């Protein structure tokens, strides 16, 4: 059984092996013997990448005749799986694993257990190191750590010995392939034309074994100090100073940098005999392995911040460029990365950064939120970037179309640019109607507001000419913080939004957290069915402190003005009553204390849970306004998960069921003289929006980019005749309302694009 000293012992002896004046092959042979002996394993084998395959280069324990004969593809067998996933495997019974393949020439059928780690260089797998036992038992944690340390040292040895496949070969090969379309997930909509720039955050570790641990400790300490200073400098630059989303993100980031556990683990790795760089990388690899095992997307994002910090620290310690971004962008660059930290993104020169393509990424990641705020399109979850794209390749990024086109043909570029020009011309047109009312040709005035969630979004009010903010998603601030945002921070954000909006209305929605927007400091366990789980008002009514703090922040920020507040996911009237009572109690307390409070508070509810529509006769008199969240509402009406891509095309917002339902609700509100707004994505699509107006909707809150197109649509439409037509279609229950409406709109020259 190995002891704590196993890694240190292997490192010491490896240093001797490396220093000896022998051939590279002899060094590899000695290495596998050495590892087998120290770990007391019957087999130790080393596979290296050659011509795109994994070739057995050295073994102790398997048949020597298999050396340079046995080859596996990436993804083939257990070794191929380790190479492809870049993740270790530790199996008591290798044959029971579904990926196991048997290679008779190796004689490995005798051995039951298998543990293997990838050997990585410059983010690519260059080999796999494997140990095996006769008995079926897993290798212990210390053995796995020792293997990972050795893998790092080996990556240095095999690179120095020129044993690595040229990593540029794959991308050179890609260059010959002509145009490829790589699909991905739409994270931030938009289009861009530019050339590929790989984000290269990592420094290749040149020396893994330390000559003098004391010197390494000193280098690391100095590195931590510089790291802290670097982030503090970033925090102080005018753009990010003070409260607000960027500020929150960087504060979280700084706290991570000061995390003692992280620092301690790196110092411990130095004590094993590693250089500062190798120690940082070892801890980083462990964090990444943890990251892959975690299901919670929020925690994954936070661990990614730590990954970003490791890269930064590595650059400082190794004396390479201060940040990846300082390597510079050329004109019109599209950045390609596995993932990006928020600070990394902010450091690139925005004049040149036209778009981002990520192998990972999610809608709620920090970088996505920041990119949305600064208007950079992002495509996520794209596979094949490393192999299909070479640095400098021309790219057409079409996030709306869900893909990036690599090395597009000249005719594609022409088409794309023609479209871009048309879009620009449209934007100019929208600018000309920015200050005109959203009024139809037959005189129906629509209140056209926008959705927001960040302080930065408020600027879009002036740019688009929206009438106000019909939905401010306050949970965004919670999603980008490592801890619950304190009341002062909430208040500062709300005040900035209210002041930015001036005379225009802002409707704040109390936090809609939970479900897919989970934050670890509030929701401990993942619900099985998150959209219908412990979320939004359901949390707020149980954890009342949350709503109380938010209420005080809102009441203070809106002192002397009108405060519009609404609650998400109201299912039954009493939930609204209870939430309202919590806010009212805060108002009364503040008034009693002589604190400034709003002149008027208007309370609204979101209709997202279908059941609430059955209660409107008793419910509407109790509220000031209603807002229909069609994103959630329709998923519940159809029992179809809104995030499931397989169902995305199946149910239509223009089906008679949805439109009849909405018409009934809108009619009830009109009868009760209560304002009703549609604030789901549906309202931002021209044809859907037209359908809404045809059933009597007169208030919309939509994504800022849609304000121009929807206003243009409204100003070109005649709504009264459409209302008659729609009544007829709904009475018949026509299944093809989309088509009928499109035809009717075309006949009336309604601008739909
Ligand atoms: C909705 O459900 O339609 C809505 C506007 O809320 P969210 O998209 O934030 O859930
Ligand atoms: Mg909702």
């Amino acid at each position: 059984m190995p002891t704590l000293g196993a890694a240190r012992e292997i490192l010491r002896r490896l240093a001797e092996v490396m220093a000896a004046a022998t051939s590279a092959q002899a060094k590899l042979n000695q290495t596998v013997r050495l590892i087998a002996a120290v770990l007391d394993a019957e087999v130790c084998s080393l596979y290296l990448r050659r011509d795109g395959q994994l070739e057995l280069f050295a073994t102790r324990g398997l048949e020597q005749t298999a050396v340079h004969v046995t080859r596996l593809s990436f993804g083939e067998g257990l070794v191929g799986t380790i190479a492809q996933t870049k993740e270790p495997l530790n199996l008591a019974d290798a044959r029971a694993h579904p990926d196991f393949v048997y290679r008779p020439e190796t004689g490995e059928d005798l051995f039951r257990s298998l543990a293997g780690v990838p050997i990585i260089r410059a983010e690519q797998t260059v080999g796999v190191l494997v140990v095996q036992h006769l008995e079926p038992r897993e290798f212990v944690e210390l053995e796995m750590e020792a293997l990972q340390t050795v893998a790092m040292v080996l990556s240095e040895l095999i690179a120095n010995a020129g044993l690595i496949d040229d990593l540029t070969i794959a991308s050179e090969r890609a260059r010959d392939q002509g145009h490829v379309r790589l699909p991905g997930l739409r994270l931030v909509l938009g289009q861009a034309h530019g050339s590929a720039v790989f984000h290269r955050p990592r420094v290749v570790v040149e020396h893994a074994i330390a000559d003098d641990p004391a010197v390494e400790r000193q280098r690391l300490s100095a590195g931590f100090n510089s790291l802290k200073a670097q982030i503090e400098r970033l925090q102080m630059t005018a753009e990010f100073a003070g409260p607000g989303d960027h500020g929150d993100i960087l504060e979280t980031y700084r706290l991570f940098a000061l995390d003692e556990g992280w620092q301690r683990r790196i110092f411990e790795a130095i004590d094993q005999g590693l250089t500062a760089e190798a120690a940082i990388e070892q801890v980083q690899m462990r964090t990444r392995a943890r990251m892959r095992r975690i299901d919670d997307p929020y925690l994954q994002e936070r661990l990614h911040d730590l990954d970003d910090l490791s890269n930064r620290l590595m650059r400082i310690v190794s004396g390479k460029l201060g940040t990846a971004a300082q390597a510079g962008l050329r004109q019109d660059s599209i950045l390609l990365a596995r993932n990006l930290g928020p600070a990394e993104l902010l450091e690139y020169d925005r004049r040149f950064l036209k778009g981002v393509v990520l192998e990972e990424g999610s809608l709620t990641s920090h970088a996505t939120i920041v990119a949305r705020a600064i208007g950079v399109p992002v495509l996520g979850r794209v596979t094949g970037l490393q192999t299909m794209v070479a640095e400098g390749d021309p790219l057409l990024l079409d996030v709306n179309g869900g893909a990036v086109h690599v090395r597009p043909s000249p005719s594609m570029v022409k088409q794309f640019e023609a479209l871009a020009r048309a879009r620009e011309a449209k934007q100019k047109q929208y600018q000309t109607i920015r200050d005109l009312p959203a009024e139809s040709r037959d005189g129906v005035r629509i209140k056209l507001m926008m959705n927001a969630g960040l302080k930065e979004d408020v600027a879009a009010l002036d740019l688009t000419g929206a009438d106000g903010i019909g939905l401010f998603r306050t949970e965004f601030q919670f999603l980008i913080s490592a801890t619950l945002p304190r009341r002062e921070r909430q208040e500062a954000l709300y005040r900035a939004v209210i002041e930015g909006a001036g005379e225009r209305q802002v409707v704040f929605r109390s936090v809609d957290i939970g479900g897919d927007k989970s934050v670890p400091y509030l929701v401990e366990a993942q619900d099985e069915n998150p959209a219908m789980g412990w979320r939004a008002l359901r949390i707020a009514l149980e954890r009342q402190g949350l709503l109380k703090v938010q209420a005080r922040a809102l009441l203070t920020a809106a002192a002397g003005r009108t405060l519009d507040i609404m609650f998400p996911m109201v299912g039954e009237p009493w939930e609204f009553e209870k939430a309202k009572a919590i806010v009212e109690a805060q108002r009364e307390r503040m008034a009693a204390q002589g604190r400034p409070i709003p002149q008027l508070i208007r309370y609204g509810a979101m209709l997202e849970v279908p059941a609430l529509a059955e209660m409107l006769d008793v419910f509407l008199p109790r509220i000031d306004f209603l807002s229909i969240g069609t994103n959630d509402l329709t998923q519940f009406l159809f029992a179809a998960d809104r995030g499931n891509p397989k169902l995305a095309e199946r149910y239509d917002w223009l089906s008679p069921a949805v439109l009849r339902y909405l018409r009934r609700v809108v009619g009830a509100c009109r009868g009760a003289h209560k304002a009703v707004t549609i604030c789901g994505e549906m309202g931002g699509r021209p044809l859907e929006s037209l359908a809404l107006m045809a059933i009597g909707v007169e208030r919309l809150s939509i994504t800022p980019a849609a304000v121009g197109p929807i206003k243009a649509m409204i100003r070109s439409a005649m709504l009264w005749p459409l209302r008659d037509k729609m009544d007829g279609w709904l009475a018949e229950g026509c299944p093809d309302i989309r088509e009928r409406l499109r035809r009717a709109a075309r006949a009336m020259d309604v601008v739909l694009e």
Side-chain angles (χ1 to χ4, degrees):
M1 194 58 58
T3 62
L4 246 181
R8 200 178 307 153
E9 172 67 7
I10 292 179
L11 279 184
R12 191 184 59 73
R13 289 173 53 187
L14 264 184
E16 289 165 15
V17 170
M18 301 264 233
T22 50
S23 69
Q25 180 68 51
K27 285 180 176 147
L28 296 181
N29 293 346
Q30 274 179 296
T31 304
V32 289
R33 277 204 296 275
L34 166 66
I35 298 166
V38 178
L39 295 189
D40 207 9
E42 280 85 11
V43 176
C44 177
S45 311
L46 177 67
Y47 293 80
L48 293 187
R49 172 164 145 176
R50 183 186 263 186
D51 296 335
Q53 288 211 306
L54 295 156
E55 179 176 312
L56 181 63
F57 254 71
T59 183
R60 143 95 205 160
L62 296 185
E63 296 294 342
Q64 291 303 319
T65 48
V67 172
H68 297 302
V69 171
T70 294
R71 291 202 170 154
L72 292 157
S73 302
F74 273 57
E76 184 188 1
L78 297 174
V79 170
T81 303
I82 294 167
Q84 191 168 51
T85 58
K86 298 184 189 157
E87 283 203 58
L89 272 182
N90 184 4
L91 307 167
D93 186 359
R95 275 171 290 180
H97 194 282
D99 292 334
F100 179 79
V101 292
Y102 174 52
R103 284 302 172 90
E105 74 273 11
T106 60
E108 67 178 332
D109 49 329
L110 292 171
F111 307 101
R112 296 292 295 277
S113 67
L114 179 144
V117 294
I119 304 172
I120 311 250
R121 191 144 183 103
E123 313 259 356
Q124 307 241 17
T125 306
V126 295
V128 175
L129 181 65
V130 175
V131 284
Q132 290 174 276
H133 273 310
L134 278 172
E135 328 143 38
R137 72 157 174 90
E138 275 193 9
F139 286 78
V140 298
E141 193 61 34
L142 284 172
E143 291 171 311
M144 294 304 290
E145 274 183 19
L147 275 184
Q148 277 175 337
T149 307
V150 173
M152 225 155 57
V153 177
L154 279 176
S155 109
E156 179 189 335
L157 164 70
I158 56 191
N160 291 345
L163 289 171
I164 293 184
D165 243 9
D166 187 353
L167 294 177
T168 57
I169 288 177
S171 38
E172 271 164 16
R173 236 179 255 142
R175 245 183 228 286
D176 302 333
Q177 288 171 357
H179 166 245
V180 265
R181 177 183 183 277
L182 302 177
L185 184 70
R186 299 174 181 89
L187 294 182
V188 180
L189 292 182
Q191 280 94 357
H193 180 200
S195 42
V197 175
F198 276 94
H199 173 66
R200 302 219 184 267
R202 301 191 67 187
V203 172
V204 176
V205 176
E206 303 294 349
H207 300 291
I209 303 176
D211 295 330
D212 182 353
V215 172
E216 301 303 317
R217 290 183 74 90
Q218 225 169 16
R219 292 177 63 223
L220 183 63
S221 294
F224 273 122
N225 288 338
S226 308
L227 176 68
K228 200 173 129 231
Q230 209 180 69
I231 296 171
E232 281 168 359
R233 259 200 313 278
L234 199 57
Q235 276 183 310
M236 270 169 352
T237 53
E239 198 174 1
F240 310 131
D245 309 293
H246 290 149
D248 285 345
I249 289 173
L250 288 174
E251 178 58 18
T252 307
Y253 205 68
R254 192 179 69 88
L255 292 176
F256 269 125
L258 299 177
D259 182 68
E260 276 185 16
W262 181 52
Q263 301 194 1
R264 193 193 59 242
R265 284 192 293 278
I266 303 179
F267 278 113
E268 280 170 5
I270 287 184
D271 291 341
Q272 285 179 357
L274 293 176
T275 58
E277 288 90 343
I280 296 167
E281 183 157 297
Q282 194 198 54
V283 172
Q284 185 173 19
M285 280 182 337
R286 264 191 263 155
T287 310
R288 282 190 178 173
R290 255 175 60 210
M291 194 148 76
R292 292 196 191 96
R293 284 197 297 269
I294 287 175
D295 266 347
D296 184 330
Y298 179 83
L299 263 189
Q300 270 192 355
E301 289 305 335
R302 301 301 79 83
L303 283 171
H304 175 257
D305 286 351
L306 206 51
D307 203 39
D308 180 10
L309 281 170
S310 302
N311 293 330
R312 199 174 280 267
L313 182 62
M314 180 79 101
R315 284 183 175 274
I316 293 171
V317 170
S318 65
K320 302 276 161 66
L321 289 166
T323 66
Q326 283 169 20
L329 288 182
R330 293 175 295 274
Q331 202 80 26
D332 291 352
S333 296
I334 295 177
L335 195 62
L336 312 185
R338 190 171 64 84
N339 211 340
L340 269 184
E344 284 177 310
L345 177 63
L346 289 169
E347 277 169 351
Y348 279 99
D349 189 334
R350 252 176 270 163
R351 287 170 307 162
F352 303 141
L353 180 64
K354 298 296 170 213
V356 175
V357 183
L358 301 175
E359 286 175 40
E360 299 177 0
S362 72
L363 275 169
T364 53
S365 76
H366 281 165
T368 304
I369 292 171
V370 170
R372 196 175 293 128
I374 62 176
V376 173
V378 184
L379 187 70
R381 307 276 166 88
V382 179
T383 50
L385 288 183
Q386 298 278 353
T387 50
M388 307 304 274
V389 191
E391 181 90 13
D393 269 349
L395 302 178
L396 291 180
L397 174 60
D398 176 15
V399 183
N400 301 33
V404 57
H405 297 273
V406 188
R407 298 173 298 274
S409 65
S411 67
M412 287 182 73
V413 174
K414 240 166 133 182
Q415 221 179 354
F416 193 86
E417 295 205 318
L419 281 174
R421 274 195 301 276
R423 261 195 316 273
E424 238 168 70
K426 279 259 163 65
Q427 287 304 330
K428 286 212 179 99
Q429 252 175 5
Y430 299 145
Q431 283 304 309
T432 64
I433 58 170
R434 190 190 62 177
D435 300 322
L436 299 177
E439 188 173 315
S440 71
R441 272 161 57 204
D442 48 355
V444 182
R445 172 72 164 93
I446 305 292
K447 183 145 185 171
L448 201 52
M449 298 192 286
M450 56 167 239
N451 296 340
L454 296 169
K455 193 174 70 175
E456 286 73 7
D457 291 342
V458 180
L461 273 175
D462 288 335
L463 291 175
T464 60
D467 291 321
I469 297 177
L471 164 64
F472 190 87
R473 292 180 162 108
T474 59
E475 64 274 10
F476 275 20
Q477 190 184 30
F478 289 63
L479 289 173
I480 58 178
S481 304
T483 53
L484 202 69
R486 285 199 308 268
R487 185 171 55 78
E488 296 75 19
R489 272 196 173 272
Q490 294 184 36
E491 191 186 304
L493 170 65
Y494 306 151
R495 179 170 291 123
V497 173
I498 291 169
E499 280 170 5
E503 292 304 304
R504 290 162 292 201
Q505 183 186 17
V506 182
V507 180
F508 289 95
R509 169 172 83 180
S510 66
V511 283
D512 181 2
I513 272 186
D516 64 333
K517 299 181 216 161
S518 88
V519 291
Y521 51 82
L522 268 182
V523 184
E524 301 91 23
Q526 187 70 33
D527 279 329
E528 201 159 289
N529 197 342
M532 298 192 199
W534 200 59
R535 63 175 275 203
L537 201 54
R538 299 166 183 183
I539 296 182
L541 293 182
E542 206 172 305
R543 299 264 184 99
Q544 295 194 4
L546 187 72
L547 185 55
K548 283 183 191 161
V549 168
Q550 186 169 33
R552 285 181 83 83
L554 282 166
L555 292 164
T556 314
R561 306 178 187 241
T562 298
L563 171 65
D564 287 297
I565 175 170
M566 66 179 176
F567 306 112
M569 292 284 288
V570 177
E572 294 199 277
W574 69 262
E575 290 173 319
F576 169 85
E577 298 288 2
K578 200 165 165 189
K580 178 179 170 182
I582 292 170
V583 181
E584 278 294 292
Q586 293 306 314
R587 185 182 64 81
E588 280 159 21
R589 242 183 88 193
M590 285 170 64
Q593 289 165 346
R595 292 176 195 271
I597 53 167
Q599 269 181 356
L600 175 70
I601 308 177
R602 287 188 294 230
Y603 291 93
M606 282 190 76
L607 183 108
E608 300 179 278
V609 179
L612 190 64
E614 282 305 315
M615 302 300 292
L616 291 180
D617 54 336
V618 289
F619 186 52
L620 288 177
R622 304 184 199 180
I623 65 174
D624 295 311
F625 61 94
L626 192 74
S627 193
I628 308 181
T630 48
N631 302 341
D632 275 313
L633 177 67
T634 49
Q635 77 166 339
F636 299 136
L637 276 180
F638 284 125
D641 181 351
R642 77 193 234 190
N644 185 333
K646 286 206 191 95
L647 299 176
E649 303 290 318
R650 178 168 298 223
Y651 299 101
D652 193 351
W653 273 322
L654 298 191
S655 78
V658 174
L659 294 174
R660 281 188 195 204
Y661 184 100
L662 292 175
R663 188 180 56 172
R664 185 158 61 96
V665 175
V666 171
C669 290
R670 188 178 307 116
H673 304 290
K674 294 292 153 92
V676 56
T677 307
I678 303 277
C679 65
E681 299 306 307
M682 180 179 178
R685 296 169 168 240
L687 200 64
E688 280 81 346
S689 197
L690 187 61
L692 290 171
M693 287 161 212
I695 56 166
V697 170
E698 293 187 348
R699 298 167 74 100
L700 291 177
S701 187
I702 57 182
T703 183
V707 172
I710 296 295
K711 191 189 273 189
M713 184 274 286
I714 295 168
R715 292 181 57 82
S716 65
M718 295 281 282
L719 293 180
W720 288 107
L722 275 181
R723 287 185 178 176
D724 289 341
K725 279 191 200 310
M726 182 61 88
D727 280 343
W729 298 334
L730 291 181
E732 274 179 57
C734 293
D736 56 348
I737 292 179
R738 179 172 291 280
E739 236 351 272
R740 286 172 190 247
L741 184 63
R742 201 191 308 272
R743 260 185 270 135
R746 282 213 185 108
M748 291 179 185
D749 284 331
V750 179
V751 178
L752 285 180
E753 284 310 319

